Amino acid sequence: MTARVVSKAEDLLPVYDILIVGAGPAGMAAAIEASNAGARVVVLDENPRPGGQIYREITRNRPGERGYLGSDYWKGKPLADLFAECSGDYAAKATVWSIEHTEDGEGKDHHRVGLTVAGVARMIEAAAVVLATGAQERPMSVPGWTLPGVMTAGAAQIALKSSGAVPSAPVVLAGCGPLLYLLASQLADAGGHNMTLLDTSQSLLRWEALRHLPGFLGSPYLVKGLGLLFKTKRHIRVVTRVQSLAILGQNTVEGVRFATRLKTETLQAETVLLHQGVVPAINLATAAGCPLTWNERQRAFQPVTDAEGRTPRRGILIAGDSAGIGGAQAAEMGGRIAALAALSDLGLAKSASSIRDLQGRRQRFFQGRDFLDALYSPARAFLVPSDPETIVCRCEEISAGKLREVIALGPPGPNQLKTFIRCGMGPCQGRLCAATVTEIMAAAKGMNPGEIGTYRLRSPVKPVRLVELAALPHAPRALKAVTGRDPVDHQFNEEGYSL
């Protein structure tokens, strides 16, 4: 069998056993496991084709044409092939904006999921939901980061994987983390030139990382990482221990000024690519009511889950990097584990031994993670912008200085803060500012970010047009909410539309 590609909202079934959000390595693996067990499965993904960020366009690219993407990228091809052959439904360009918990007449858990496909909104139900929404780049608020010509390293990698696009030179890559070196290597192999990499990793944490070095020596990433560092330094200029950074220009990027302990230098630049690690994408999980915990090692909030991906919200499981950063292969194992756990909870399969085997294999890919997290932990200067004019919330154009003025008034956390100045209330729903707001508040109050917290989100977590909402079924409870009267005189069809 092959996956049924759904291009219209009305073609989705009203009820599924397992609904999966995201078609990256975790989502594809979860769909394969669940469909192999005979469950009714649907995968909803915002991208036009499966693969997620790490395997983006894996179904279209060919090694002979884009070999510069590297061997790890092509590991996604067998997984994508298996996903295409599974028996579930797959809806591309689908936006999930709401998850509500309900119970049927027998007390069994169900989840009403609000989504949009091809401009049409629909509510469908699922007995279990697996969130495989992946990771997002941590914001890096430095002076000038909103200028045209500045983008994240992840965005540049999307362009490279999708269309082979190489940014205009001179190019400056700035920040910290393995992705920065990987992208520099890929761009060099793809024909990029005149590139400089400014590494902002904390020098002191390199010594702290040595404590975790023994664990990293047995990691599958050791040889790959060393090879990547040597290759990058061979082809482009790399400046380490960068302590400050400002992007220069009026209407577009013109250059970058940076400082190390020894000197200050200005570089010409047409393109600046920023990156300081990735954090779990938690917006949908938060809006669904899943509690969060602060991961000090990764300096990020992540959902509370057990070893098999279950959250305290019954019937909602989280897999892959959206549950904690571990990389593509760990995410694939996590997706399979979450699917097997959901099947077991639904009484569709008994798979305790299979789960234990997969957990052991997943742990192999987490080996050495402590070393990488310590080595590439973002420096405080780039987590907490000092320049008062630096924009933090791009949607509402709120600066670091304005944030500090309002924090001084005494709001206890980000949720109270945004009622003062709307920070985090724009279209991105805090994805580009939440981490920075929490860090600024924590620094101002002398508290740990875990004590400060992050935004509490409500549905819809993505923009939805009013015409889409208006076209949804007028169920009895919705009519009562609007009119204030019990709609006893109304009749409804099987899908809940008022007759």
Side-chain angles (χ1 to χ4, degrees):
M1 297 184 68
T2 58
R4 185 174 74 105
V5 178
V6 177
S7 57
K8 297 180 180 179
E10 55 265 32
D11 291 339
L12 291 167
L13 300 178
V15 180
Y16 289 90
D17 295 317
I18 298 178
L19 182 147
I20 300 166
V21 183
M28 289 191 293
I32 293 165
E33 286 289 343
S35 61
N36 284 346
R40 293 172 300 172
V41 180
V42 62
V43 178
L44 307 170
D45 187 67
E46 292 188 348
N47 295 310
R49 281 164 289 277
Q53 167 60 2
I54 187 66
Y55 298 140
R56 183 175 292 273
E57 297 295 351
I58 191 67
T59 58
R60 298 179 66 200
N61 288 334
R62 299 291 180 268
E65 300 169 357
R66 292 182 182 168
Y68 50 76
L69 295 177
S71 59
D72 281 348
Y73 173 78
W74 302 111
K75 290 178 182 178
K77 187 66 167 66
L79 180 64
D81 289 343
L82 288 174
F83 174 68
E85 295 170 2
C86 74
S87 60
D89 288 354
Y90 164 60
K93 299 182 182 179
T95 301
V96 177
W97 40 264
S98 173
I99 299 177
E100 301 175 0
H101 176 263
T102 63
E103 288 187 6
D104 61 18
E106 300 177 356
K108 293 182 179 179
D109 295 310
H110 272 261
H111 302 278
R112 284 175 53 84
V113 178
L115 57 100
T116 297
V117 180
V120 177
R122 173 98 187 267
M123 302 293 293
I124 63 176
E125 293 194 1
V129 174
V130 176
L131 300 180
T133 51
Q136 64 181 57
E137 289 181 90
R138 179 186 281 108
M140 190 173 181
S141 303
V142 296
W145 76 306
T146 59
L147 283 170
V150 182
M151 59 198 305
T152 66
Q157 196 180 55
I158 288 174
L160 185 66
K161 291 176 179 178
S162 300
S163 58
V166 176
S168 300
V171 179
V172 174
L173 301 94
C176 63
L179 176 61
L180 209 59
Y181 285 86
L182 174 61
L183 178 61
S185 173
Q186 291 173 332
L187 290 175
D189 288 345
H193 64 281
N194 196 1
M195 295 187 290
T196 303
L197 193 155
L198 306 178
D199 192 329
T200 63
S201 301
Q202 300 186 65
S203 57
L204 292 177
L205 277 179
R206 295 180 187 273
W207 293 106
E208 180 182 331
L210 292 178
R211 297 193 299 111
H212 304 291
L213 181 59
F216 184 68
L217 294 178
S219 167
Y221 302 117
L222 174 62
V223 175
K224 172 190 171 184
L226 290 175
L228 192 60
L229 286 174
F230 291 139
K231 178 182 177 181
T232 303
K233 291 184 177 182
R234 219 173 35 242
H235 288 88
I236 71 173
R237 181 191 179 195
V238 176
V239 181
T240 60
R241 301 189 181 186
V242 172
Q243 298 178 340
S244 67
L245 180 74
I247 301 169
L248 310 177
Q250 293 299 318
N251 299 316
T252 187
V253 170
E254 297 173 7
V256 175
R257 182 174 61 247
F258 70 93
T260 65
R261 186 173 59 86
L262 301 176
K263 64 177 181 178
T264 298
E265 185 177 342
T266 300
L267 301 172
Q268 285 189 326
E270 263 193 55
T271 307
V272 177
L273 308 178
L274 299 177
H275 178 79
Q276 56 175 352
V278 295
V279 298
I282 59 174
N283 280 27
L284 190 57
T286 304
C290 300
L292 304 176
T293 185
W294 174 251
N295 185 327
E296 181 65 33
R297 182 168 51 83
Q298 296 187 346
R299 201 123 191 125
F301 287 99
Q302 65 186 46
V304 175
T305 64
D306 67 11
E308 297 175 4
R310 298 181 186 88
T311 72
R313 296 290 290 180
R314 293 183 307 177
I316 298 181
L317 301 90
I318 303 180
D321 280 351
S322 49
I325 305 303
Q329 290 172 289
E332 181 180 338
M333 295 298 106
R336 295 179 62 185
I337 291 167
L340 291 173
L343 290 167
S344 178
D345 293 346
L346 297 176
L348 299 176
K350 295 182 179 179
S351 50
S353 60
S354 298
I355 289 178
R356 286 194 296 270
D357 175 62
L358 289 169
Q359 287 172 332
R361 293 167 63 184
R362 178 176 61 177
Q363 190 56 39
R364 166 76 172 148
F365 297 111
F366 276 112
Q367 187 173 350
R369 190 75 223 181
D370 289 345
F371 173 78
L372 292 174
D373 289 339
L375 185 66
Y376 292 113
S377 180
R380 179 185 174 87
F382 299 100
L383 291 172
V384 183
S386 57
D387 182 356
E389 300 301 318
T390 300
I391 294 294
V392 173
C393 176
R394 300 179 66 142
C395 297
E396 301 294 334
E397 299 185 351
I398 307 299
S399 67
K402 175 58 69 174
L403 279 171
R404 289 189 173 93
E405 287 179 20
V406 178
I407 290 169
L409 299 177
N415 295 291
Q416 294 77 20
L417 175 70
K418 68 183 180 181
T419 64
F420 284 76
I421 51 175
R422 292 186 53 82
C423 191
M425 296 179 72
C428 89
Q429 290 290 283
R431 278 181 288 275
L432 293 178
C433 70
T436 308
V437 168
T438 293
E439 293 281 3
I440 291 175
M441 291 197 78
K445 293 176 177 289
M447 298 170 65
N448 182 275
E451 299 174 287
I452 293 295
T454 188
Y455 297 132
R456 285 192 303 270
L457 300 179
R458 294 186 176 92
S459 299
V461 296
K462 294 288 182 73
V464 186
R465 296 179 304 161
L466 287 177
V467 67
E468 295 175 31
L469 294 177
L472 286 171
H474 303 309
R477 63 175 183 171
L479 287 172
K480 185 174 182 179
V482 174
T483 65
R485 298 191 301 273
D486 191 8
V488 293
D489 296 329
H490 285 277
Q491 292 182 332
F492 302 88
N493 62 18
E494 291 182 356
E495 293 189 352
Y497 288 90
S498 179
L499 299 176

